[in-house]
Amino acid sequence: MAAIEVQVPDIGDFDEVSVIEVLVKVGDTVKAEQSLVTVESDKASMEIPSSAAGVIKELKVKLGDKVKQGTVLLVLEAQGVERSASSVEREQPKTAPSPQAGPDAQRSTPNAQPVELRIPDIGDFKDVAVIEILVKPGDAIKAEQSLITVESDKASMEIPASAAGVLKTLTVKIGDKVNVGDLIGSLEGSGAASAPAVAAPPPAAAPAVASAPVAVAERTAPTAALPPHEPSTPTGALPHASPSVRKFARELGVPLEEVKGTGPKARITHEDVQSFTRSVMQGEATTKAAAAKAPAGGGGGEGLGLLPWPKVDFAKFGPFERKEMGRIKKISGANLHRNWVMIPHVTNHDDADITELEAFRVQLNKENEKSGVKVTMLAFLIKACVAALKKFPDFNSSLDGDQLVLKQYFHIGFAADTPNGLVVPVIKNADQKGILQISTEMGELAKKARDGKLGPADMQGACFTISSLGGIGGRYFTPIINAPEVAILGVCKSQMEPVWDGTQFQPRLMLPLSLSWDHRVIDGASAARFNAYLGAILSDFRRTML
Ligand code: CAO
């Protein structure tokens, strides 16, 4: 097997560059075109790929070393089978010509006019995808600052700004496919900018490039000579890392802006990304996104610290069978679990005297016998809840970050028990509907639910939900809030009870109410008032007219 010296290829105009990252070690098996080291001048950084496949026998450079074209980086024991087309034994790696005329050719004097930013010559690549947007309109941009990262199946590269200024427009988004000459956005050139600006915008037919891609992390082509670039002074929160590190971080889902760089000029290295990942996995750190997703007050992201689910060999204790959970149960179960874990629930229990209301309902159903519309207590509860939501608007809200979304519409969901599981159809604009219309719609929706024919629109947009077990039984329970709502009313079976009227006990029909509420939005006193008001309305509906 032949020994191959891998040398620094033609790196353009740069005389000497520093080794700022060594990406391999002795004994590693490397593929042809795998990045070996990252080098950096005061203007550009780039990765040097291997010219051949093989096992690293000797490393000839270390961090901080100055290297130039022809410097031997390492010695490989070639494997021959995976030789790059560009590799030549004991000769310097083949280098692609600079993708454009020298940067100086593109520049003129500082320019206060709007400057179009276009995709420069990116070699043979066509339809490369925009995978990262590193700036936003309004940002003050330095000349050569990276704007976007594009990626083909072979390489990823950052597209730098051709001039300094304020970014006025950004005309690409993640996922867009771009080609040479495509418009990325426009800059309002800053005359005060230290970096030179690009010459006048190119004509559409033959677009002049804004600047060449920088720090090309090509995987199958040799590293291109790079134009001047200033990657070491990113503005704002732009992390300082090479494209391969960015790619590595992206693959792991690591937010680079949260990683502390330990390389030269606080550059983020592969090791930094690895150790960040390790500390998150070990629970020593958390990402901001994970912390933000945690419930308010639990933002430390320590996790629930729960024991694993018990694994039991049920056969040891008796016969059993397994049954797959239905689709609705799986979906509603996942939602209920999230809501229960993420919302700090409190439930207030109360009773409403519905003696007169029930008498009225029975009378109404007698009168409407022929119409076929049956009025149930739930229709009155929906109307009563609308009145209570109007009086206590916080109950008709949703939490969005630190803001409350206070709704001015009144869509009420009701839990319906179906053979396939629990669903929640919604009566829209219940404030604008009478008891008979609500009863009719409820009957239709409940039938659709039982027949499994509810569409997504039938179950969307609720402000508040009622879960009635009144037709079944029970006294009180804790209904789980249907996020992003902030409260839910549970109702159980009404029954005659002796109620003290100040002089004697009276037989009254009492309806048990269980109101669960989100303690981040609502407090106990409001919840008690809500229940009391609801009870007062159910006792005497004329109060809704007050
Ligand atoms: N107290 C006493 N009786 C009540 C009552 C109450 N609070 N609510 C309803 N009833 C009576 C009705 O008057 C009816 O009696 P009649 O047949 O004698 O007239 C009977 O109970 C059945 O009512 P219903 O359940 O058919 O009608 P509804 O409007 O009350 O409820 C619906 C409709 C779809 C909500 C209901 O069928 C349902 O599915 N409830 C279950 C909801 C559920 O599962 N919640 C739990 C969610 S958490 O897992």
Side-chain angles (χ1 to χ4, degrees):
M1 265 187 258
I4 293 177
E5 285 183 348
V6 178
Q7 302 171 351
V8 175
D10 179 357
I11 46 174
D13 293 341
F14 305 114
D15 217 11
E16 269 196 338
V17 288
S18 302
V19 175
I20 57 160
E21 267 179 301
V22 178
L23 305 167
V24 290
K25 59 183 185 313
V26 171
D28 280 1
T29 302
V30 295
K31 295 182 179 164
E33 307 306 340
Q34 181 176 334
S35 296
L36 302 173
V37 297
T38 309
V39 295
E40 188 178 62
S41 73
D42 58 339
K43 293 175 181 166
S45 68
M46 63 200 99
E47 290 175 13
I48 309 285
S50 182
S51 53
V55 177
I56 298 177
K57 287 287 146 199
E58 195 183 345
L59 265 177
K60 298 271 195 187
V61 290
K62 59 182 185 320
L63 277 184
D65 280 1
K66 300 272 188 217
V67 296
K68 57 185 179 188
Q69 184 181 344
T71 304
V72 176
L73 295 172
L74 50 82
V75 179
L76 270 187
E77 192 170 275
Q79 287 177 333
V81 282
E82 207 187 341
R83 183 73 54 84
S84 148
S86 65
S87 72
V88 180
E89 276 185 30
R90 302 191 77 85
E91 77 175 22
Q92 71 178 49
K94 190 176 164 190
T95 306
S98 173
Q100 58 171 56
D104 290 343
Q106 303 157 19
R107 295 185 174 152
S108 66
T109 49
N111 190 348
Q113 295 303 309
V115 173
E116 283 187 352
L117 299 167
R118 288 181 183 273
I119 299 287
D121 183 352
I122 46 176
D124 290 340
F125 303 114
K126 286 208 170 60
D127 289 336
V128 290
V130 176
I131 56 161
E132 260 181 317
I133 301 225
L134 307 167
V135 290
K136 58 181 184 321
D139 281 0
I141 306 288
K142 290 187 177 177
E144 306 302 345
Q145 180 180 334
S146 297
L147 302 170
I148 59 173
T149 310
V150 295
E151 189 174 61
S152 72
D153 56 342
K154 296 178 180 163
S156 68
M157 59 200 103
E158 292 174 13
I159 306 293
S162 53
V166 174
L167 190 69
K168 282 287 150 198
T169 57
L170 196 62
T171 49
V172 290
K173 58 183 187 319
I174 285 177
D176 280 359
K177 296 276 170 37
V178 292
N179 287 293
V180 178
D182 282 355
L183 191 67
I184 307 170
S186 67
L187 276 183
E188 196 134 272
S190 151
S194 55
V198 74
V209 293
S211 180
V214 298
V216 182
E218 301 203 15
R219 299 290 170 228
T220 58
T223 304
L226 300 170
H229 166 54
E230 182 49 87
S232 58
T233 52
T235 57
L238 185 64
H240 180 191
S242 68
S244 68
V245 171
R246 289 179 188 285
K247 189 160 187 263
F248 182 45
R250 251 194 331 274
E251 282 164 3
L252 294 175
V254 168
L256 263 190
E257 59 284 0
E258 291 177 49
V259 179
K260 194 171 180 303
T262 58
K265 299 179 195 166
R267 169 179 287 273
I268 298 168
T269 64
H270 277 78
E271 286 70 25
D272 293 333
V273 175
Q274 279 168 337
S275 68
F276 182 87
T277 308
R278 205 174 303 118
S279 59
V280 169
M281 294 305 289
Q282 290 171 351
E284 293 159 8
T286 187
T287 62
K288 284 182 187 158
K293 278 187 197 155
E302 295 84 359
L304 292 175
L306 298 176
L307 291 172
W309 195 255
K311 277 201 182 316
V312 175
D313 178 7
F314 299 103
K316 280 204 311 202
F317 305 105
F320 69 95
E321 65 169 333
R322 286 188 181 274
K323 188 177 156 195
E324 190 67 24
M325 293 247 289
R327 195 180 64 87
I328 292 182
K329 274 223 160 104
K330 282 185 196 162
I331 295 170
S332 65
N335 278 287
L336 289 163
H337 187 193
R338 178 203 55 209
N339 299 346
W340 182 248
V341 169
M342 291 187 74
I343 301 173
H345 282 70
V346 183
T347 308
N348 278 34
H349 303 289
D350 209 338
D351 297 301
D353 184 338
I354 57 164
T355 316
E356 270 81 41
L357 187 59
E358 175 63 4
F360 175 60
R361 187 187 74 85
V362 170
Q363 173 68 25
L364 206 58
N365 278 337
K366 262 193 204 148
E367 289 169 12
N368 282 308
E369 218 162 1
K370 287 195 191 118
S371 73
V373 179
K374 185 181 167 191
V375 176
T376 67
M377 189 49 68
L378 195 47
F380 288 101
L381 282 163
I382 288 175
K383 273 315 253 190
C385 285
V386 167
L389 292 174
K390 283 185 176 171
K391 190 166 175 70
F392 302 97
D394 281 1
F395 286 76
N396 191 17
S397 72
S398 285
L399 203 52
D400 185 11
D402 288 337
Q403 291 188 335
L404 269 192
V405 178
L406 291 154
K407 293 153 210 167
Q408 287 155 8
Y409 53 86
F410 299 87
H411 304 337
I412 310 294
F414 64 97
D417 185 29
T418 77
N420 296 323
L422 183 68
V423 289
V424 185
V426 181
I427 303 278
K428 306 271 167 43
N429 300 310
D431 56 320
Q432 297 162 29
K433 293 174 181 166
I435 295 287
L436 292 180
Q437 190 179 349
I438 289 175
S439 297
T440 307
E441 280 187 28
M442 255 176 44
E444 290 164 0
L445 286 169
K447 180 167 184 326
K448 265 174 116 177
R450 281 192 297 274
D451 297 346
K453 291 191 175 151
L454 283 177
D458 293 323
M459 295 185 279
Q460 285 170 355
C463 307
F464 182 88
T465 296
I466 303 176
S467 175
S468 172
L469 295 172
I472 305 168
R475 292 293 283 163
Y476 304 96
F477 68 111
T478 303
I480 298 178
I481 296 166
N482 199 10
E485 296 156 40
V486 295
I488 180 169
L489 181 71
V491 181
C492 283
K493 195 175 178 66
S494 58
Q495 60 185 40
M496 293 303 283
E497 287 178 24
V499 176
W500 186 251
D501 71 358
T503 319
Q504 55 187 331
F505 283 104
Q506 298 285 354
R508 306 296 294 176
L509 187 64
M510 302 304 287
L511 178 72
L513 305 175
S514 300
L515 179 75
S516 291
W517 40 278
D518 183 337
H519 211 334
R520 295 171 300 179
V521 179
I522 293 160
D523 56 36
S526 305
R529 286 190 196 104
F530 186 98
N531 265 351
Y533 183 70
L534 202 56
I537 290 173
L538 292 167
S539 301
D540 188 348
F541 245 79
R542 290 171 302 180
R543 287 177 189 279
T544 55
M545 294 184 288
L546 296 177

